[in-house]
Amino acid sequence: MNPRHARAALIAFGVVGVVDLVSLAVGHDTGHTLAKPLLMPLLAAHAYLRGGPGLLVGALLCGWGGDVLLLLDAEPAFLAGMASFAAGHVCYLLLFGRRARAGEAAPRPRLDRRTAAAYALVLVATVTLLWPGLPAGLRVPVAAYSLLLTAMAYHATRLGPVAAAGGALFMLSDTLIATGVADWPQLPRPDLWIMLTYLVAQSLLVRGVLADRQDPAADRTVTSGSAPAPP
């Protein structure tokens, strides 16, 4: 761990994020094109320097791949970008699963069922509403990606409210992208809202994972490989 360098990477991420968002707000395409590819590597560097797990760094770098590919205005690039983000969600799912198996969070079956039902309802409603407006070649990929994204967001709730908020905002950000693909009416400067929700989502997921790793009880559990004793 290198706290000073980690803080510098986080500050750089914040500065570049502001540049990117301002560029989108004023319609400065060059600023967005230059800033966007720097964002996830800086956040990944912060996570790495804070001692974050490899799966977290991998998820962020997959997000970087998706970010770069989505800068290209072509359907093959869109599909490749979606695949890169999907790989990032797999990294998050594996990470959340490991934390859950280590026993960091006490299970709450009733809450889990209600949360799962809510996410399932959102998934079905979103795909059903978007389906008619999506190009035929994107319908199945978007539906499959939406399932994976929803699973990631749901399992993020295992790490607490910060990671849960990150997962939910990731869903919102990608839903905004999908509504554009489906030719729905858009807010002014739609890319601004997509990037804003996306950057906050990734930041909260990183914060949630790093905070979870810093839990002394969690660290003891991972080290010993045994479940924590009940209170």
Side-chain angles (χ1 to χ4, degrees), residues 84-171:
S84 188
F85 280 117
H89 297 323
V90 170
C91 290
Y92 275 128
L93 281 168
L94 291 173
L95 175 59
F96 300 153
R98 286 183 181 179
R99 303 304 286 173
R101 286 193 298 273
E104 283 78 8
R108 297 178 181 177
R110 188 174 182 181
L111 178 60
D112 283 349
R113 285 196 296 270
R114 290 180 176 178
T115 304
Y119 275 103
L121 179 61
V122 170
L123 170 64
V124 172
T126 301
V127 172
T128 300
L129 292 171
L130 289 171
W131 188 272
L134 293 172
L138 290 179
R139 286 173 177 170
V140 172
V142 167
Y145 175 82
S146 298
L147 176 61
L148 186 59
L149 170 63
T150 304
M152 182 281 292
Y154 167 64
H155 286 286
T157 61
R158 292 175 166 179
L159 271 65
V162 172
L169 282 173
F170 214 134
M171 286 183 64

Side-chain angles (χ1 to χ4, degrees), residues 119-224:
Y119 275 103
L121 179 61
V122 170
L123 170 64
V124 172
T126 301
V127 172
T128 300
L129 292 171
L130 289 171
W131 188 272
L134 293 172
L138 290 179
R139 286 173 177 170
V140 172
V142 167
Y145 175 82
S146 298
L147 176 61
L148 186 59
L149 170 63
T150 304
M152 182 281 292
Y154 167 64
H155 286 286
T157 61
R158 292 175 166 179
L159 271 65
V162 172
L169 282 173
F170 214 134
M171 286 183 64
L172 175 59
S173 179
D174 281 359
T175 300
L176 292 174
I177 295 175
T179 59
V181 175
D183 288 329
W184 282 25
Q186 299 291 294
L187 295 169
R189 302 290 182 190
D191 287 346
L192 171 63
W193 306 111
I194 290 169
M195 282 303 298
L196 177 60
T197 50
Y198 169 67
L199 293 179
V200 175
Q202 291 280 40
S203 300
L204 290 176
L205 286 168
V206 169
R207 181 178 175 184
V209 171
L210 293 178
D212 184 69
R213 284 178 61 83
Q214 290 174 352
D215 183 348
D219 290 340
R220 288 195 298 271
T221 300
V222 172
T223 302
S224 65

